[in-house]
Amino acid sequence: MSHDPNCIFCKIVAGQIPSKKVYEDEQVLVFHDIHPWAPVHILLIPKLHIPSLVEVTGEHAALLGHMSTLAPRLMKELGVTNGFRTVINTGPDGGQEVYHLHMHAMGGPRPWLKG
């Protein structure tokens, strides 16, 4: 499995940096965002180091499908009942800050409005 020793998310996956874990399996780690934009804001990250969505190929289809079907289940388990938003920021113009593919899932009242 690919790993970047300088990547903060790879360090979280390796247990070198603590996180408030929500879920983990052989493919992904899910944890609460440290700077939430909504009452519930989690990050779904693959354990495989993929720098961004631009790097995704057909071989990653099952992984992205897993992340996409996991998000609604976890949001429901976390008490989000009135909808949520998923976002994958890609590249500098897309607002990506950490270059390890990750999906934000944000729920609660108007999670996209930063106050």
Side-chain angles (χ1 to χ4, degrees):
M1 185 165 296
S2 178
H3 173 83
D4 178 346
N6 298 313
C7 171
I8 190 168
F9 285 173
C10 286
K11 290 178 181 180
I12 291 171
V13 167
Q16 298 168 339
I17 295 176
S19 66
K20 188 176 174 191
K21 191 184 309 184
V22 173
Y23 175 87
E24 182 175 14
D25 64 25
E26 64 281 346
Q27 298 179 75
V28 299
L29 176 65
V30 183
F31 54 93
H32 289 275
D33 193 298
I34 61 170
H35 299 294
W37 280 44
V40 177
H41 184 169
I42 59 175
L43 298 177
L44 296 90
I45 68 168
K47 289 184 173 181
L48 174 68
H49 181 79
I50 304 168
S52 78
L53 194 58
V54 172
E55 310 295 326
V56 168
T57 66
E59 72 182 64
H60 301 113
L63 174 62
L64 267 62
H66 179 54
M67 292 169 65
S68 295
T69 57
L70 186 58
R73 186 183 107 202
L74 294 176
M75 292 304 275
K76 183 177 180 181
E77 289 175 7
L78 292 168
V80 175
T81 59
N82 199 32
F84 61 93
R85 186 175 200 191
T86 57
V87 176
I88 298 176
N89 298 319
T90 306
D93 289 343
Q96 187 173 2
E97 295 177 2
V98 177
Y99 282 83
H100 182 118
L101 177 68
H102 56 286
M103 175 188 291
H104 296 259
M106 299 169 279
R110 303 294 302 252
W112 51 91
L113 293 181
K114 184 80 171 174

